[in-house]
Amino acid sequence: MTSTPSSTSTEVRWARPEELAGLAAVELAADGVFVQVGITFPPGTTMVEEADDPSRVLVAGDPPIGFALFGWIDGQVHLDQLAVHPDHGRKGAGGSLLEAVCEHAASTGFAAVTLTTYRDVSWNAPWYARRGFSVLDPAEWGPEMVELVRHERELGIEIAPRVVMRRVL
C-alpha cells in the first residue's frame, strides 16, 4: 500500500512486526506536542505499545516517522491512534496515513471510519473535519463507542472536550 500526496514523498505501508516496539517513541514525541495547549496525558503505556498485530498498523516512512493504528468499533473501522513525530510534522504524513486507513476500510467493505479526538485542538477535530469527518451525535453512538468513550474518561484522557467523529466512505 502506498499513498503519496503531492506535498510529501513519504510512503505509507503496513508495519513490520519488528517495528511495533519502536513506534512508542513516535507516539510519545507526538503526544508531547499537546503540552503547548495545556494537555498532558496520564502516565501509562502508549496505545501502540498495546498493539501486537502489525495488520492493524500502517506506517509512514522507513524507518517510520508516523503511524496509524486502527481497530473496529460497532462494525466500522475505528482509528485508535494517528501519530507523526513532530520533527516530521506538517509535511503530509498524517494526511497520507489517514487516507490510507480510509482507503483500506473502503476496499475491505466498510462504510465508515470513526475516531475520538479533542474538539478544540487545531490539529485534532478541525483537522479531521477538513478531511471529511463530522462530529457524531451521542445518540448515534453504538454500544461499543459508548464503552470506548467511558473507558477513555476512566483512563483520564478526557482532559479537554473530546468528540466522536465519523467519515462516511
Side-chain angles (χ1 to χ4, degrees):
M1 167 175 294
T2 300
S3 179
T4 53
S6 59
S7 62
T8 183
S9 60
T10 304
E11 179 182 335
V12 173
R13 59 181 174 76
W14 293 104
R16 295 185 289 267
E18 65 273 12
E19 292 175 316
L20 292 180
L23 295 176
V26 172
E27 185 171 350
L28 289 169
D31 285 352
V33 176
F34 285 88
V35 171
Q36 67 185 316
V37 294
I39 297 173
T40 54
F41 295 103
T45 58
T46 64
M47 291 194 76
V48 77
E49 283 178 295
E50 296 177 11
D52 60 0
D53 181 359
S55 72
R56 294 182 46 219
V57 183
L58 291 162
V59 296
D62 195 358
I65 60 164
F67 70 89
L69 169 66
F70 65 90
W72 300 268
I73 298 282
D74 295 318
Q76 297 304 324
V77 170
H78 182 80
L79 180 62
D80 292 313
Q81 180 74 328
L82 178 67
V84 175
H85 194 286
D87 290 349
H88 301 277
R90 304 184 62 89
K91 297 176 185 168
S96 294
L97 285 160
L98 181 62
E99 289 309 312
V101 168
C102 291
E103 289 169 14
H104 172 68
S107 73
T108 54
F110 290 92
V113 173
T114 60
L115 56 88
T116 60
T117 194
Y118 291 104
R119 181 189 71 198
D120 301 325
V121 176
S122 64
W123 63 89
N124 275 208
W127 185 84
Y128 288 110
R130 290 191 302 274
R131 285 152 183 83
F133 283 80
S134 57
V135 174
L136 195 58
D137 187 274
E140 298 177 84
W141 299 356
E144 293 173 346
M145 186 64 72
V146 169
E147 177 58 24
L148 174 65
V149 170
R150 186 203 61 73
H151 182 66
E152 285 183 351
R153 287 180 182 149
E154 186 178 88
L155 290 174
I157 295 173
E158 180 82 21
I159 48 186
R162 287 180 67 79
V163 292
V164 174
M165 299 184 83
R166 176 179 63 197
R167 176 168 151 184
V168 175
L169 305 174

